[in-house]
């Protein structure tokens, strides 16, 4: 196995909401930062950065995962779904989103993406 310098950038490829994407990241880059900054998936929010609040929750291969406790390199080759995957292409809310809307469950809305995922 090749050792990677901590400042060296590596290519991380994954399937994000059905699209195969890749971008460079430092080995220490958190998945939440990679999704937001490198891939533009800003629906994933970052609150505590300690795995406590759940705002950063995404699905990795169908399993709810705190993206603030996951390195981007750990998502290499995996299927990642974020809150952006929930609504239809025409903007139609999925049933869970609609239920949140109908029942005023959003509160301030910051952690809603994590709750939905
Ligand atoms: S940002 Fe709070 S659990 Fe990840």
């Amino acid at each position: 196995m090749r050792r990677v310098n901590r400042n060296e950038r590596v290519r991380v490829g994954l399937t994000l909401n059905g699209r195969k994407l890749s971008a460079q990241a430092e080995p220490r880059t958190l998945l939440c930062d990679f999704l937001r900054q490198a891939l533009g998936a800003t629906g994933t929010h970052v609150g505590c950065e300690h795995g406590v609040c759940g705002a950063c929750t995404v699905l990795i291969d169908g399993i709810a995962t705190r993206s603030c406790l996951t390195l981007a390199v750990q998502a290499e080759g995996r299927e990642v779904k974020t809150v952006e995957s929930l609504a239809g292409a025409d903007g139609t809310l999925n049933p869970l989103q609609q239920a949140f809307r109908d029942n005023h469950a959003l509160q301030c809305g910051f952690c809603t993406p994590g709750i939905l995922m």
Side-chain angles (χ1 to χ4, degrees):
M1 178 192 283
R2 183 175 76 89
R3 284 185 61 95
V4 176
N5 180 315
R6 64 184 291 231
N7 294 320
E8 183 179 344
R9 296 177 72 81
V10 296
R11 181 154 292 278
V12 178
L14 50 77
T15 302
L16 177 62
N17 301 331
R19 293 178 53 211
K20 287 194 177 291
L21 298 172
S22 67
Q24 298 282 332
E26 292 180 7
R28 62 185 174 181
T29 301
L30 296 174
L31 179 59
C32 55
D33 294 333
F34 182 71
L35 292 171
R36 292 179 53 82
Q37 297 165 12
L39 302 182
T42 56
T44 300
H45 290 175
V46 180
C48 67
E49 296 185 79
H50 294 290
V52 176
C53 73
C56 66
T57 302
V58 299
L59 300 183
I60 299 179
D61 293 340
I63 297 173
T65 304
R66 306 281 202 262
S67 62
C68 73
L69 297 181
T70 306
L71 297 172
V73 294
Q74 292 177 285
E76 167 68 29
R78 314 285 285 279
E79 180 176 329
V80 178
K81 288 193 174 181
T82 65
V83 69
E84 288 96 340
S85 71
L86 295 180
D90 63 352
T92 304
L93 300 179
N94 90 351
L96 185 57
Q97 289 174 305
Q98 189 64 52
F100 265 62
R101 182 177 183 179
D102 293 346
N103 294 287
H104 310 289
L106 299 175
Q107 301 181 44
C108 80
F110 187 82
C111 61
T112 303
I115 296 170
L116 289 169
M117 297 312 289

